[in-house]
Amino acid sequence: MDRGSGENGLRWIADAYDTSFTLTLGEGLSPVELLRRVGAEERHIVPLTRFAAYSLLLRDESDHLSDLDFLDWEDTAAVGRLTSGGFLPTPPETIVRAGSVAGWAYALEEFGCRTDTRIAELSERGRAFVVHRDARGSHHVGYALHGEVVTWFEPGLPHLLSGVPAEESLGFVDDGTEVGDVAFLRFLENQLGIYLPYEETEAELPAAAFGFSGRTVG
């Protein structure tokens, strides 16, 4: 796998997050602004690596904190931040981690798809995109511009459409030679010129936890 090279600036996400993923892009936003616009409270944002977020999502509530390899469970300040932020003790439904690249904020989710509920808010300064694949292999794409949702569609299934067809609104045509989400990631690479380094997405990024209610936990 060519992780995060200039020739594979976004497509590597579909391989690295092989179970499911959500990639979100918001033009003109900072990472914290993106998290706030999807419902996070700034005081509850905590820097987390991908490994830490994954560990928090998969832990059982009955597990001891010492089982979390990234955390010194005797560090009461760190445990307190995670607890008040909703990462502990109950595993959140999803964790959204956000960073920035070339005038855009991006967000990655390992399993959930929280950000697609706020795509209009994410586009108030320009464009916003959401690319999601679930554990069953289904995928969908959303696009909004200046506070308005333009289109939702599933690549390769033109009848599953809400809004303006992607060919008309974006110039995106799925010719069936690649999996739909991969084809759209390639399209974004070419249209936006975005190169997202794999190593950066694995390192600490501002993160927010969301529960089953759809609100920030904690």
Side-chain angles (χ1 to χ4, degrees), residues 40-122:
E41 295 184 42
E42 190 166 349
R43 63 192 177 93
H44 289 158
I45 295 172
V46 176
L48 291 177
T49 65
R50 180 188 174 190
F51 173 75
Y54 187 84
S55 300
L56 289 164
L57 287 168
L58 293 187
R59 73 180 293 270
D60 190 282
E61 188 173 354
S62 62
D63 292 341
H64 193 272
L65 292 180
S66 61
D67 294 333
L68 291 170
D69 293 338
F70 73 91
L71 178 67
D72 177 0
W73 66 276
E74 294 182 318
D75 184 342
T76 56
V79 172
R81 284 192 296 271
L82 290 171
T83 301
S84 64
F87 300 92
L88 295 172
T90 303
E93 180 185 16
T94 190
I95 294 174
V96 182
R97 300 170 60 244
S100 61
V101 58
W104 296 75
Y106 68 86
L108 286 164
E109 294 176 68
E110 189 87 31
F111 303 120
C113 194
R114 166 67 181 178
T115 51
D116 68 354
T117 65
R118 303 295 181 90
I119 189 172
E121 291 93 326
L122 295 176

